[in-house]
Amino acid sequence: MISRLHIGIFGKVNSGKSTLLNALTLQESALVSSEKGTTTDPVYKAMEISGLGPVVFIDTAGYDDESKLGILRIEKTKDVAKKADMAIVIFSDTDIEEGISWAMALKEQNIKIIIAVNDMENNNAVEIASKLKSKLNEPIIVVNALKKRNIEEVREALIKNAPSDKEIDITGNLVSENSLVMLVMPQDIQAPKGRLILPQVQTIRELLDKKCIIVSCATAQIDETLAALNKAPDLIICDSQAFKIVNDKKPKKSKLTSFSVLFAAYKGDMETFLNGAKAIGNLTKNSNILIAEACTHAPLNEDIGRVKIPNLLKQKFGDLSVTIVSGMDFPKDLSKYNLIIHCGACMFNRKYVLSRIEEAKSQSIPITNYGIAIAHLQGVAINDSSP
């Protein structure tokens, strides 16, 4: 399964970041102006690059932004670095030390970087490139973003230097060709009208690519679906909130997992999440729980993160404290929490989920995943996709 490679564009205010983005995407993706601080919030542009595949370019505010909102903008730029698999650091003047510091900080986060020197009016791009070459052992490309000169070299550098990590798939070793897979997909108030949620779509596509046999049903049709099959499913994948119901009805020989558990490995770190779930046994009515979800949807009556998981916790441990954050909101100081329970993160890339896991581990706070937490709370044995 291919996830979009996230490529951040970093540089000073008015260094040509937005112009470079427009040149790379061949579209007016970002507003360009001589006025300082034109880019405030990061600008995201999804596209396909031949030889590289699906990518998301992220244009950021200048890291030297001195406007009143500059500090907040720079914080958002730092947040982009947590998502970036690759980075283009653009230079436009001979004052290069701050840019080098950013480039080194990005490298320390295992982000592949490419250096672009923007050949602008009244600057000496060759001199800037020479200075950078003596300090950074990275690809350095002199471009003219406005005139779209050498943009193809940047694309080629992205292709050549793209991370070569082995692709992670969703279902791992749980299935093989001709495996019979049953999907139990509740279409409740949380389900988007007229379509399936992203993890369901991605899982179905991967199962088709693996030449599996797929049958799907809603929770109310489990018995009828099993009766219609001439053998027990090799694997049943359900929504985590249906774990108990499915576990009670499934054939003994069928393996059971959930979309959220699968995405725990696909987007995060399964070992860390499984270890984090052990902390559930140590919770008390005085515990503080952080629930983090990637989506920013309005709360719903049946919401799994805002309603169902808190209710399961409170039924077992009493009226403990539950804090809920969504989207990009994630506390920097996690020290007051006894456990973090994260959603399947279908709206985040793996790099960003791993950065959150590292923040939790650096502060010695256990972290787990919706599906794993629910299975643990309900005493359901699950199968994961780890080798």
Side-chain angles (χ1 to χ4, degrees):
M1 179 65 65
I2 298 173
S3 292
R4 287 189 181 272
L5 199 68
H6 284 53
I7 305 169
I9 303 177
F10 302 86
K12 286 186 174 183
V13 170
N14 277 18
S15 59
K17 299 183 301 298
S18 298
T19 306
L20 179 62
L21 172 62
N22 291 342
L24 284 165
T25 61
L26 302 176
Q27 298 177 31
E28 296 301 307
S29 301
L31 179 63
V32 175
S33 170
S34 59
E35 185 73 23
K36 286 190 174 183
T38 300
T39 302
T40 54
D41 289 337
V43 175
Y44 292 74
K45 177 60 183 177
M47 66 175 297
E48 297 267 343
I49 295 181
S50 178
L52 193 57
V55 303
V56 177
F57 284 107
I58 314 172
D59 186 18
T60 64
Y63 51 63
D64 62 332
D65 191 336
E66 296 178 351
S67 67
K68 290 181 180 179
L69 294 175
I71 294 175
L72 293 175
R73 291 171 177 171
I74 292 170
E75 284 302 311
K76 288 193 173 185
T77 297
K78 290 178 180 178
D79 283 338
V80 168
K82 295 176 184 177
K83 296 180 177 181
D85 301 293
M86 300 186 74
I88 301 170
V89 184
I90 187 165
F91 292 80
S92 61
D93 60 46
T94 54
D95 184 10
I96 61 174
E97 295 306 318
E98 188 174 10
I100 289 174
S101 295
W102 271 79
M104 297 305 294
L106 292 167
K107 285 184 68 174
E108 287 172 5
Q109 296 178 57
N110 296 318
I111 299 170
K112 299 271 189 175
I113 65 170
I114 292 164
I115 306 299
V117 178
N118 197 12
D119 186 6
M120 303 171 72
E121 188 177 353
N122 299 324
N123 80 345
N124 189 333
V126 174
E127 180 188 348
I128 299 168
S130 179
K131 279 187 174 184
L132 289 168
K133 190 172 182 179
S134 67
K135 293 177 178 287
L136 290 171
N137 183 28
E138 298 295 338
I140 298 173
I141 304 165
V142 176
V143 303
N144 186 305
L146 186 62
K147 297 180 180 179
K148 299 180 175 61
R149 189 164 63 236
N150 291 343
I151 299 302
E152 191 57 38
E153 288 188 29
V154 177
R155 289 196 190 94
E156 290 172 1
L158 290 171
I159 295 167
K160 182 179 179 180
N161 293 279
S164 57
D165 293 345
K166 186 180 179 181
E167 227 174 73
I168 300 169
D169 74 32
I170 297 169
T171 52
N173 61 359
L174 292 176
V175 298
S176 56
E177 187 173 342
N178 292 323
S179 290
L180 177 59
V181 184
M182 177 173 163
L183 308 178
V184 181
M185 304 186 295
Q187 299 305 299
D188 55 23
I189 191 173
Q190 296 179 86
K193 187 175 180 180
R195 58 190 175 89
L196 301 174
I197 63 172
L198 184 59
Q200 294 169 350
V201 173
Q202 290 182 311
T203 303
I204 289 169
R205 175 54 198 262
E206 180 178 291
L207 291 171
L208 290 171
D209 289 342
K210 288 185 171 184
K211 298 181 173 59
C212 294
I213 302 162
I214 308 164
V215 59
S216 60
C217 68
T219 310
Q221 280 73 49
I222 294 173
D223 291 332
E224 291 81 359
T225 305
L226 288 170
L229 301 174
N230 62 7
K231 70 169 188 172
D234 299 297
L235 173 67
I236 300 176
I237 306 173
C238 67
D239 190 284
S240 295
Q241 60 187 308
F243 258 147
K244 190 71 172 66
I245 297 170
V246 178
N247 189 58
D248 290 344
K249 292 176 176 288
K250 80 174 187 69
K252 286 186 178 180
K253 66 179 294 185
S254 298
K255 292 178 285 188
L256 174 64
T257 192
S258 78
F259 296 100
S260 182
V261 171
L262 293 176
F263 272 67
Y266 180 55
K267 290 291 184 79
D269 180 338
M270 178 59 78
E271 183 179 357
T272 298
F273 285 149
L274 288 171
N275 286 332
K278 295 175 184 177
I280 293 174
N282 300 322
L283 298 179
T284 70
K285 64 180 181 180
N286 298 315
S287 297
N288 292 312
I289 311 299
L290 177 67
I291 294 181
E293 54 182 23
C295 298
T296 55
H297 60 264
L300 301 170
N301 291 334
E302 301 176 18
D303 194 278
I304 187 170
R306 297 170 183 266
V307 177
K308 294 188 175 180
I309 292 177
N311 285 347
L312 283 171
L313 290 167
K314 290 178 180 181
Q315 287 167 14
K316 192 174 182 68
F317 301 107
D319 196 24
L320 40 62
S321 174
V322 176
T323 301
I324 298 167
V325 296
S326 60
M328 295 292 292
D329 293 336
F330 194 72
K332 293 187 182 299
D333 182 4
L334 302 169
S335 60
K336 74 175 184 179
Y337 300 108
N338 302 99
L339 175 66
I340 301 166
I341 305 177
H342 207 291
C343 72
C346 59
M347 303 307 295
F348 291 158
N349 70 329
R350 188 165 192 263
K351 176 71 164 49
Y352 188 50
V353 177
L354 290 175
S355 75
R356 287 191 168 185
I357 291 171
E358 284 306 310
E359 287 178 43
K361 290 169 73 173
S362 70
Q363 298 179 54
S364 301
I365 308 300
I367 182 170
T368 190
N369 158 281
Y370 277 17
I372 296 170
I374 291 172
H376 192 96
L377 285 163
Q378 295 183 333
V380 175
I382 54 172
N383 297 92
D384 68 75
S385 57
S386 304

